[in-house]
Structures are given as C-alpha cells and as structure tokens.
Amino acid sequence: RAREEDASYEETYGTKIPPSTLGDRLAAYTHYFTLHGSLRPFGTSTLIASYDPETKEHSLQMVEPSGVSYQYFGCAAGKG
C-alpha cells in the first residue's frame, strides 16, 4: 500500500512523498479497516524508517493497528 501511496502522491504533486505524509496516509488506511464491520482489521504494527533528502532528516514512525501513527527516535514493536 505504501508504494501505491507514493506513486499517487508523485503523480499528483510531481515530487516524492514526505515521510510524515506517508505515515499519516498509511495510518488513515489502517484506521479505515477498524471502522467497518465487514472488513477485517489489521493485527500488526508497522515501522517506517525513512530519509527525506529535501530536509536532510531521518525519521522513524510506527503505525499501530488502530490507525494511530507516532514518530520516534527509537522504538520496538511487540510483546514485552
């Protein structure tokens, strides 16, 4: 899904998608599945590590199964 979001953003705006926007879009997609009873919600967290050449910054985001996205300096997903 991230590749589709990247291609869509690049087609619309003519530039690569910023990491924060990608995380927000993936969170919105994940959240959509928690709202509808006919769709099965996601059961895993996703870590997105990225680099933005325009701002020259690294970022690390985690998208929760509920559709919430957080930005971290370092994180781990899982039990314990």
Side-chain angles (χ1 to χ4, degrees):
R1 181 65 188 183
R3 290 179 181 171
E4 293 174 9
E5 291 293 340
D6 179 50
S8 172
Y9 189 91
E10 191 169 355
E11 183 180 317
T12 304
Y13 298 106
T15 183
K16 294 286 187 183
I17 190 167
S20 60
T21 305
L22 178 62
D24 291 341
R25 285 188 176 197
L26 290 177
Y29 180 77
T30 305
H31 181 66
Y32 179 78
F33 279 77
T34 64
L35 297 176
H36 298 280
S38 62
L39 299 173
R40 188 171 185 173
F42 290 93
T44 61
S45 297
T46 305
L47 295 173
I48 304 168
S50 57
Y51 175 73
D52 190 359
E54 291 183 11
T55 61
K56 298 187 182 344
E57 292 182 352
H58 299 277
S59 68
L60 179 63
Q61 292 182 318
M62 183 164 59
V63 179
E64 296 284 336
S66 63
V68 177
S69 174
Y70 296 107
Q71 189 166 357
Y72 292 101
F73 292 108
C75 71
K79 187 176 180 181

